[in-house]
């Protein structure tokens, strides 16, 4: 290591640990369980300072039910004592929630936690947010008309351009559309939309990773249409978008590639990210290759937000068997992104 590199790292080590606000998600799902399991891991607490955002009574009772050796601070500021956790209770939340049951009450609780965490970020109390899973149906029952976390957070931060992505090192994917029917998702594969997303993804990922990135675009049809044999979307929409981004914006993007191989190629390091044409095209690949270690990262927000790669798992809620690996990964990724945002020389 050179003297200048050592100096940069010495400077970085003087930063305080990243402060992460963790929303517990739908209280009737596995969110409270995986959050508490994740933060009970000393390797997680060693790299981040944590504020849990949720019902204090629910978190304490869940911790006891899981037999976790956790102590909760009385103060609202971060308590850095080993093994001591701070809870920010938004107030007005139920002290308990029936496991595995969607309800307006649980949807309201999840929404209030999200709103509170964003307010904490606005006030400078936290550096980033990591979120446990929510139920979109419960959110709707509570009167919140958002298809998911991404759109909710975008409105709370007045963000108009954003995208869902998944980081499953070394695989990263960025989604052209999220929660649409397959017919609507196919209809959304348009050249203008792809140009916008490729340019946006290039800028966002280059900023997050602190380097120029190599992008690949997945084809929509089998074998990326095999020269027009299995569809015309590649020739009509996808190829013109790629060529425009290469020729007019200087972006290192190529494709379209057959979607049954491109994700593996990226996973092996040939590309930094894959632009996926629709939700399941991306998430099936991510979850097959990296389930439990993949992290949902919202691109375009003014704040760093990471989340798990799975849902509320109502079928196992309350049973104490949920795997917290993805929640740990979400916290580790949030910490890393905060670190990168603080020190442009840290790679």
């Amino acid at each position: 290591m050179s003297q200048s590199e050592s100096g940069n790292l010495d400077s970085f080590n003087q930063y305080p640990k990243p402060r992460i606000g963790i929303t517990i998600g739908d209280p009737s799902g596995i969110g409270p369980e995986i959050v508490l399991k994740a933060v009970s891991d000393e390797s997680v607490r060693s790299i981040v300072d944590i504020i849990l955002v949720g019902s204090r009574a629910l978190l304490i009772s869940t911790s006891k039910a899981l037999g976790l050796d956790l102590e909760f601070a009385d103060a609202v500021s971060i308590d850095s004592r080993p093994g001591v956790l701070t809870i920010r209770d938004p107030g007005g939340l139920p002290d308990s929630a029936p496991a595995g049951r969607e309800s307006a009450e649980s949807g309201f609780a999840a929404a209030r936690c999200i709103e509170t965490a964003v307010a904490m970020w606005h006030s400078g109390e936290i550096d980033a947010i990591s979120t446990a899973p929510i139920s979109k149906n419960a959110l709707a029952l509570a009167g919140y008309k958002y298809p998911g976390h991404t759109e909710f957070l975008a409105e709370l931060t007045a963000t108009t351009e954003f995208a869902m992505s998944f980081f499953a090192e070394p695989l990263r994917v960025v989604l052209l559309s999220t929660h649409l029917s397959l017919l609507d998702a196919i209809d959304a594969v348009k050249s203008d939309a792809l140009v916008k997303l490729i340019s946006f993804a290039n800028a966002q990922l280059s900023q997050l990773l602190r380097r120029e990135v190599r992008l690949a675009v997945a084809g929509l049809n089998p074998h990326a249409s095999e020269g027009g044999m299995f569809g015309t979307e590649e020739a009509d929409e996808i190829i013109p978008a790629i060529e425009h981004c290469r020729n007019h914006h200087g972006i290192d993007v190529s494709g379209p590639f057959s979607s049954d191989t491109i994700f593996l190629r990226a996973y092996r390091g040939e590309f930094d990210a894959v632009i996926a044409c629709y939700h399941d095209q991306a998430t099936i690949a991510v979850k097959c290759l990296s389930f439990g270690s993949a992290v949902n990262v919202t691109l375009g927000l003014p704040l760093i937000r990471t989340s798990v790669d799975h849902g509320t798992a109502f079928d196992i809620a309350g049973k104490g068997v949920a795997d917290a690996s993805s929640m740990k990964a979400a916290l580790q990724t949030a910490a890393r992104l905060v670190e990168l945002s603080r020190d442009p020389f840290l790679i």
Side-chain angles (χ1 to χ4, degrees), residues 167 208 297 304 306 332-342:
F167 284 28
L208 284 175
V297 179
I304 293 169
T306 64
Q332 291 162 346
T333 300
R336 182 62 173 170
L337 293 176
V338 171
E339 291 168 357
L340 286 169
S341 72
R342 289 171 168 176

Side-chain angles (χ1 to χ4, degrees), residues 76-130:
V76 296
S77 59
I78 292 176
D79 194 316
S80 60
R81 289 177 294 163
V84 180
L85 295 166
T86 300
I87 299 173
R88 177 61 53 81
D89 190 326
L93 306 185
D95 292 342
S96 61
R101 187 184 307 169
E102 290 181 326
S103 68
E105 290 75 19
S106 63
F108 171 78
R112 284 290 296 123
C113 292
I114 296 166
E115 292 168 339
T116 300
V118 172
M120 292 164 63
W121 172 79
H122 273 298
S123 69
E125 190 173 350
I126 56 176
D127 299 308
I129 296 172
S130 290

Side-chain angles (χ1 to χ4, degrees), residues 108-243:
F108 171 78
R112 284 290 296 123
C113 292
I114 296 166
E115 292 168 339
T116 300
V118 172
M120 292 164 63
W121 172 79
H122 273 298
S123 69
E125 190 173 350
I126 56 176
D127 299 308
I129 296 172
S130 290
T131 60
I134 59 174
S135 163
K136 298 169 184 63
N137 187 49
L139 206 65
L141 291 173
Y144 292 85
K145 304 303 181 183
Y146 302 103
H149 266 117
T150 302
E151 296 80 7
F152 196 175
L153 289 165
E155 180 160 316
L156 290 173
T157 57
T159 302
T160 57
E161 190 174 5
F162 53 89
M164 178 186 289
S165 71
F166 287 89
F167 284 28
E169 297 289 357
L171 172 65
R172 303 173 191 87
V173 298
V174 184
L175 283 63
L176 178 63
S177 62
T178 54
H179 303 113
L180 296 177
S181 73
L182 187 53
L183 285 174
D184 289 341
I186 292 171
D187 191 53
V189 180
K190 301 298 183 186
S191 184
D192 288 348
L194 278 166
V195 167
K196 184 177 180 180
L197 181 63
I198 292 167
S199 301
F200 177 75
N202 180 68
Q204 290 290 312
L205 292 172
S206 295
Q207 179 180 351
L208 284 175
L209 301 178
R210 299 291 177 177
R211 56 180 169 80
E212 294 184 0
V213 294
R214 300 158 299 162
L215 303 178
V217 179
L220 175 65
N221 295 298
H223 306 288
S225 85
E226 195 95 8
M229 293 178 64
F230 310 125
T232 64
E233 287 83 1
E234 280 76 11
D236 294 344
E237 307 292 346
I238 301 176
I239 292 173
I242 293 170
E243 292 180 346

Side-chain angles (χ1 to χ4, degrees), residues 9 19 55 81 166 185:
L9 290 177
R19 298 165 298 169
S55 164
R81 289 177 294 163
F166 287 89

